[in-house]
Amino acid sequence: MTSAQVINAGTLYVVATPIGNLADLSDRAQAVLAGVDIVACEDTRHTQKLLQHLGLRKVLLSVHDHNESDRIQQVLEHLQQGRSIALVSDAGTPLISDPGYRLVQALGEQNVTVVPVPGPSAIITALSAAGLPTDRFTFEGFLPHKRGAREEKLRALQYEARTLVFYESKHRILETLEVMQAELGSERPAVVARELTKTFETFYRGTLASVSLDIQRDADQQKGEFVVMVSGHDNPPPATDIDTDALFKLLLPELPPKKAAAIVAQLTGENKKALYQKALELQGKA
Ligand code: SAM
């Protein structure tokens, strides 16, 4: 494939790059990088190394979390003047826990053609060898840094039935696994993928408790990049077990029926109007 065949003027190519193993860069990605006028990237030094490896010299434009909004107009002008641009991130697929969505959204609004050039992404790579259910999964990206917010986020996910997938760094992997055990249950099946496609690629399989212990035991295993995958909950939330009659008996002497019904609806997820009717019946007013 020659670059001349694949590159269209005024087009943004969203190009996935390797997450560790340079041999994972596709022929098409290479041809696009060789053919475009400009490469927009997160970290110019990082991308320069990839381009050097490919023997390419390119005009680079930095687009990262802190300047993306400012860069949109500049990118748009280049494209409107007929230049072609490849958007890459430091590793994997741009926009996936990486910058670029505001840019792609803005270009879409201006009817600029955006072409994906698919390739590696840590989430799909990890799931493909984890052995957890993949028919449905939810990608949660990075959890919040602050412990309280992280606990709250996980608590909100405790009854999620789909496989949960998170990105995590070496700085927080052990703390995250600890909080996950507290919020999701230590016996929940889990797989942690570390350093995918790299020399020290490792999969830890077991429960949240056992994988946490495996990683704790060896300081070397705490280095690198991680994808944490946790089995979904296999039972519906217990809120349906709440005895609404008993709850109303406690609430109605203290609160107006409307307020009591609103609280019961919040706790059980049942219909507020139907609960209000029930409250009136229990008070003998219906
Ligand atoms: N855009 C990338 C993608 O498509 O996967 C993700 C970028 S995000 C800023 C970086 C995070 O992805 C890391 O902290 C780690 O959780 C995960 N990750 C990236 N490369 C990885 C690898 N080789 N092994 C394990 N996790 C990886």
Side-chain angles (χ1 to χ4, degrees):
M1 185 194 295
T2 66
S3 55
Q5 283 174 300
V6 291
I7 303 304
N8 290 315
T11 298
L12 179 85
Y13 293 87
V14 182
V15 181
T17 59
I19 56 171
N21 189 330
L22 286 177
D24 290 337
L25 188 75
S26 73
D27 288 350
R28 184 172 172 224
Q30 287 197 43
V32 169
L33 290 173
V36 290
D37 299 306
I38 298 167
V39 176
C41 57
E42 255 189 294
D43 179 337
T44 50
R45 280 169 308 177
H46 194 101
T47 298
Q48 199 63 266
K49 279 190 201 150
L50 175 71
L51 295 174
Q52 262 166 16
H53 169 80
L54 300 173
L56 299 173
R57 282 171 72 89
K58 289 283 152 183
V59 175
L60 297 181
L61 183 69
S62 80
V63 177
H64 47 70
D65 273 337
H66 305 292
N67 72 359
E68 187 176 343
S69 303
D70 300 337
R71 284 286 194 236
I72 289 172
Q73 192 53 33
Q74 212 176 336
V75 170
L76 186 61
E77 280 167 21
H78 280 302
L79 293 166
Q80 283 169 340
Q81 287 160 10
R83 296 189 187 96
S84 53
I85 301 183
L87 174 69
V88 298
S89 61
D90 284 352
T93 302
L95 279 76
I96 308 302
S97 287
D98 266 339
Y101 102 85
R102 290 187 212 93
L103 174 65
V104 170
Q105 183 180 56
L107 297 182
E109 283 164 7
Q110 299 295 321
N111 292 321
V112 171
T113 308
V114 177
V115 174
V117 181
S121 187
I123 171 182
I124 301 299
T125 308
L127 277 172
S128 72
L132 290 175
T134 45
D135 50 340
R136 295 192 314 141
F137 58 86
T138 167
F139 176 53
E140 296 294 328
F142 290 98
L143 284 164
H145 286 193
K146 291 205 172 129
R147 197 177 169 112
R150 170 180 297 232
E151 286 169 350
E152 202 175 309
K153 175 87 199 185
L154 286 168
R155 207 166 301 140
L157 289 168
Q158 65 182 319
Y159 294 112
E160 173 58 61
R162 295 169 291 181
T163 296
L164 302 159
V165 188
F166 305 86
Y167 279 169
E168 195 47 279
S169 75
K170 60 183 175 191
H171 308 292
R172 275 176 295 275
I173 185 67
L174 285 177
E175 193 193 326
T176 288
L177 290 171
E178 183 195 317
V179 178
M180 281 180 174
Q181 288 181 72
E183 300 301 336
L184 306 177
S186 52
E187 292 313 303
R188 195 76 89 90
V191 178
V192 175
R194 172 180 166 263
E195 293 291 83
L196 289 161
T197 78
K198 302 183 197 175
T199 313
F200 297 106
E201 177 180 273
T202 317
F203 278 84
Y204 306 92
R205 304 165 197 278
T207 61
L208 279 171
S210 75
V211 297
S212 176
L213 213 62
D214 289 344
I215 298 171
Q216 260 175 54
R217 273 197 196 116
D218 185 349
D220 280 346
Q221 304 295 352
Q222 293 157 32
K223 294 179 189 152
E225 302 188 281
F226 298 85
V227 181
V228 180
M229 294 159 283
V230 186
S231 244
H233 199 283
D234 48 15
N235 290 313
T240 48
D241 294 335
I242 291 174
D243 181 341
T244 51
D245 282 18
L247 201 53
F248 272 129
K249 269 186 200 149
L250 285 172
L251 294 173
L252 285 171
E254 311 291 334
L255 297 168
K258 206 169 175 183
K259 184 80 191 157
I263 292 173
V264 177
Q266 225 176 6
L267 286 170
T268 61
E270 284 183 37
N271 183 283
K272 209 190 311 186
K273 227 169 158 181
L275 286 168
Y276 178 57
Q277 275 309 314
K278 189 170 187 174
L280 293 179
E281 276 165 28
L282 287 169
Q283 279 197 328
K285 284 186 189 167

